Amino acid sequence: MGGYENGDSLAAVAGEDGVVLGVDGGTTNTVCVCLPAAMPQPESPAAVPVLARAVAGSSNRNSVGESAALETLEQVMTQALAMANTVRSAVRAVCLAVSGVNHPSDQQRMLEWIRDLFPGNAKFYVENDAVAALASGTMGKLHGCVLIAGTGSIAYGVTEDGKVARAAGAGPVLGDWGSGYGIAAQALTAVIKAHDGRGPQTSLTQYILKKLELSSPDEIIGWTYADPSWARIAALVPVVVSSAEDGDEVANKILHDSVQELADTVIAVVRRLRLCGEEEKDKFPLVLVGGVLEGNKKWDISGEVIKCISKVFPGTNPIWPEVEPAIGAALLAWSHHRKGLKLENGS
């Protein structure tokens, strides 16, 4: 991953040519990366010259509200610029890739907001956070499909001629059951069902009570509604995985169902865009991002998802990014800036 060398060591690289910002705004946290606007095309992930990296809380407007989300975005960008020893007037382009941006009206509101933050002729691009995640696996080239499974989940695809499609990503109320929230919510429900006799007994009860330091399943109801934030619920996923690894049937069913949900999400996008070709055998990049897809001891969720997808599309080429999505967003901002300079120069 690109080096985070804050301060004067890379500030000279930016110089009068300014900087670009990439923001990955998630339901759990928000990351902003600052790059020199005049940098050459990075030859490898390790060669990305990161001037600064800042982290803040959630910026998903559907989770924390629009006012809090915008406050977080401004905070994280301001912090990154300060760490890079530069100012807002030096910003040449910004790519905001934010979860919860699902409609052109969402993009327009955010564009109007960010234009007031930065003076001058900076260019702004607002996308769903899936776009940055895809770019992190393809080093800024928007082609292929990305599957994000963290607190929330979404599959997002782009063809080489710019057609896009997505599936899921509508939040827990509308059925992102392959997400971290979905997995954990099903586990909490299973514990309550087991307690009142509507479902089979499960070791999830002991695992979750221990994790939450509660003495009875009855207390789970109060714990859940005291703060039903998506990230807080999703943090229980490792407990579900541990229970499944120890052989619990209920936990294993939750994970198997979630694997199928995630696979079906990717399959829907790939088919709509024909990323795999007419005969569904062509190779295409599948970028995998998010805590749910990180490797576990026995229960390899990402591996199981890839198996399911590969049965349908044998040309699936899984990619685990070597840079984080915020760098993907920054590379998109840099790419847009570079194209603008070429047009201005008539080349």
Side-chain angles (χ1 to χ4, degrees):
M1 194 174 288
Y4 304 126
E5 301 181 34
N6 304 321
D8 297 332
S9 58
L10 282 174
V13 179
E16 295 181 358
D17 294 313
V19 298
V20 298
L21 298 177
V23 179
D24 172 38
T27 304
T28 303
N29 56 41
T30 301
V31 180
C32 179
V33 164
C34 180
L35 304 180
M39 71 178 188
Q41 174 73 48
E43 296 182 0
S44 68
V48 179
V50 178
L51 294 170
R53 177 183 186 271
V55 184
S58 173
S59 56
N60 183 319
R61 57 190 291 271
N62 296 329
S63 178
V64 298
E66 186 160 348
S67 178
L70 295 179
E71 183 178 334
T72 297
L73 290 169
E74 182 174 3
Q75 172 192 339
V76 78
M77 289 188 288
T78 300
Q79 184 181 352
L81 290 172
M83 294 169 69
N85 293 327
T86 190
V87 293
R88 293 186 182 188
S89 59
V91 173
R92 301 293 179 259
V94 181
C95 177
L96 293 178
V98 185
S99 62
V101 173
N102 299 314
H103 191 269
S105 62
D106 299 331
Q107 293 175 306
Q108 188 58 41
R109 280 200 305 275
M110 198 162 283
L111 281 170
E112 291 172 358
W113 167 79
I114 194 172
R115 287 188 184 115
D116 291 334
L117 289 182
F118 294 94
N121 298 316
K123 304 296 183 183
F124 306 107
Y125 310 91
V126 177
E127 304 285 357
N128 185 275
D129 62 334
V131 176
L134 175 59
S136 72
T138 59
M139 288 299 289
K141 181 182 179 183
L142 288 183
H143 171 248
C145 184
V146 61
L147 173 63
I148 302 177
T151 300
S153 63
I154 187 173
Y156 184 94
V158 184
T159 63
E160 290 186 330
D161 60 356
K163 294 186 180 71
V164 301
R166 56 174 283 175
V173 176
L174 298 177
D176 287 352
W177 293 118
S179 68
Y181 180 97
I183 291 170
Q186 290 177 78
L188 290 169
T189 301
V191 171
I192 297 300
K193 283 187 172 183
H195 180 60
D196 63 21
R198 290 179 295 139
Q201 293 301 306
T202 168
S203 66
L204 283 168
T205 300
Q206 289 73 37
Y207 275 88
I208 289 177
L209 290 178
K210 181 179 179 181
K211 174 67 176 179
L212 302 181
E213 298 182 348
L214 303 176
S215 58
S216 167
D218 289 326
E219 297 177 40
I220 288 176
I221 300 172
W223 177 88
T224 300
Y225 293 108
D227 177 10
S229 65
W230 301 349
R232 179 171 175 260
I233 302 295
L236 293 173
V237 168
V239 178
V240 184
V241 173
S242 294
S243 183
E245 289 177 344
D246 285 345
D248 184 80
E249 292 184 6
V250 174
N252 271 286
K253 185 178 187 306
I254 290 171
L255 294 185
H256 279 296
D257 290 348
S258 298
V259 163
Q260 193 60 57
E261 283 278 349
L262 293 172
D264 288 344
T265 301
V266 171
I267 290 167
V269 168
V270 173
R271 279 215 166 113
R272 282 163 61 190
L273 294 177
R274 297 184 179 178
L275 289 172
C276 52
E278 293 293 336
E279 298 183 1
E280 300 191 340
K281 294 181 180 179
D282 292 357
K283 290 191 69 174
F284 69 93
L286 173 62
V287 180
L288 298 142
V289 176
V292 170
L293 299 173
E294 292 177 358
N296 299 293
K297 298 173 185 176
K298 301 175 186 176
W299 236 110
D300 182 7
I301 295 176
S302 62
E304 293 300 317
V305 170
I306 292 167
K307 284 180 186 177
C308 287
I309 297 170
S310 296
K311 287 178 183 177
V312 181
F313 306 130
T316 302
N317 177 30
I319 297 173
W320 285 268
E322 295 182 48
V323 299
E324 63 183 334
I327 291 182
L331 288 172
L332 289 175
W334 173 80
S335 179
H336 283 302
H337 172 65
R338 191 180 186 191
K339 288 176 182 176
L341 290 179
K342 286 183 177 180
L343 289 174
E344 291 174 10
N345 295 331
S347 55

